[in-house]
Amino acid sequence: MAGSLKQSPLHDRHEALGAKLAEFGGWSMPLEYRTGVVKEHTAVREGVGVFDVSHLGKAMVSGPGAADFVNATLSNDLAKIRPGKAQYTLCLDESGGIVDDLIAYWHDDEHVLLVPNAANAGEVVRRLGAAAPAGVEVVDHHDDYAVLAVQGPRSDEVLARVGLPTGHEYMSFVEAPLASAGGGDGPGVVVCRTGYTGERGYELVVANEAAGRLWDDLLAAGEEWGIVPCGLGARDTLRTEMGYPLHGQDISLDTNPVEAGLSWAVGWRKDAFFGRDAVLRVKEEGPRRRLRGLLALGRGIPRPGMSVTLTQDVPLADITSGTFSPTLRKGIGLALIPATIAEDAQVGVDIRGRREIFQLVKPPFVETSVKES
């Protein structure tokens, strides 16, 4: 099985750094390094860390009317932004279920880059490709580009040190020559003010052949601020503290945007997008359940699949995401709780046969720097 997994262009570097590798979305990716998840997590919250997230999909929608086509298929409304900006959006099934959540980078009216999740990239490309009108192409570049995420309050200093632009608006991007690869006519990099950690940071889209040099330069440039390479373990604890959903756990084809708390990512006034009629019905009727945060009142650490109960004998749901929060030093989780349950209710979680009490809360669990100018 290990031999059939895709590998990042940085795979050899991860091995050299002593990374513990794990399968994720069909890729062999670093789960953690020798530093461990807690130190990696803390580096991002307090300083800076760098992630290899090259497993994320990359697909370019191009041709006359490409932006209009994307707007007529994906849930959010591109009219809310402008070229040079990025937007969180959803690819929905006609049932209203979430095929994937992704970021759309609007380059110009004829070019929109989509970055879906690893496991769903092929399905997103297939669905959009099947719906594309004549002249519009949806090309899968999943294996052609690497994505590096530099995240944390010191991310600007690190990027500036390697000659990349910083300080642009949250959810915007700029294209720049890659000085570390020689600049000039060499490979370029798309510097995106985005991320999945809740901290100020950037995601860098770069051709595979330039990824290793950029990774090395970022680590060297960040030594002054204590930069550490971070794996998917820290990525998971960081995103859970923000209440960011993970497809395949918190959201799926069995989950609609309204119950997932993602109504803000739906262009309700648009005439068309995949699944529009179904999600309009849910909005009108009200959802049966809602994705809620759970904060431990004791020492319990929730894990996916653990049972959530209102009282000992009244089951409500299962934990969809659960972990120890290194920032709060408490257990936190997410679950799709029936909409009839009070927003501030206390519930129980069955943790190895012991019922631990949790408070329902509205994420994020922590305050962060993500939108600071």
Side-chain angles (χ1 to χ4, degrees), residues 34-269:
R34 295 188 183 103
T35 44
V37 170
V38 172
K39 288 186 178 179
E40 294 168 21
H41 177 110
T42 303
V44 172
R45 286 280 181 252
E46 298 180 357
V48 62
V50 58
F51 300 78
D52 176 12
V53 288
S54 299
H55 62 295
L56 294 174
K58 285 79 64 175
M60 181 63 77
V61 183
S62 61
D68 289 339
F69 166 67
V70 168
N71 205 31
T73 53
L74 302 184
S75 69
N76 215 333
D77 189 354
L78 278 181
K80 296 177 182 176
I81 63 171
R82 62 182 187 276
K85 295 277 285 184
Q87 185 179 68
Y88 179 86
T89 190
L90 306 169
C91 179
L92 302 178
D93 187 73
E94 288 308 315
S95 68
I98 301 172
V99 176
D100 198 26
D101 61 333
L102 61 154
I103 304 290
Y105 295 91
W106 186 3
H107 286 257
D108 55 48
D109 289 345
E110 297 192 4
H111 298 87
V112 181
L113 175 68
L114 304 180
V115 179
N117 288 292
N120 304 323
E123 182 62 12
V124 170
V125 169
R126 186 192 71 77
R127 287 178 182 246
L128 268 68
V136 173
E137 286 188 305
V138 183
V139 179
D140 190 345
H141 292 292
H142 202 163
D143 299 330
D144 302 328
Y145 292 89
V147 183
L148 280 59
V150 181
Q151 299 283 296
R154 294 293 189 176
S155 54
D156 284 61
E157 288 92 334
V158 175
L159 262 63
R161 184 67 61 86
V162 299
L164 291 175
T166 65
H168 37 295
E169 287 180 274
Y170 179 59
M171 296 299 286
S172 71
F173 62 95
V174 296
E175 298 178 73
L178 187 54
S180 62
D185 295 327
V189 59
V190 181
V191 182
C192 314
R193 177 86 189 282
T194 51
Y196 194 51
T197 67
E199 294 299 339
R200 184 182 181 88
Y202 300 83
E203 292 177 309
L204 313 176
V205 183
V206 64
N208 280 350
E209 59 267 24
R213 177 69 181 276
L214 179 57
W215 172 269
D216 294 343
D217 287 353
L218 288 168
L219 286 177
E223 285 184 4
E224 179 180 343
W225 299 283
I227 194 170
V228 297
C230 302
L232 296 181
R235 184 172 164 88
D236 192 60
T237 56
L238 289 158
R239 69 93 188 168
T240 304
E241 286 187 345
M242 294 304 295
Y244 293 160
L246 176 64
H247 197 279
Q249 288 187 197
D250 311 297
I251 55 177
S252 68
L253 278 171
D254 296 325
T255 317
N256 63 67
V258 182
E259 62 189 7
L262 297 174
S263 291
W264 60 270
V266 177
W268 295 107
R269 297 182 180 180

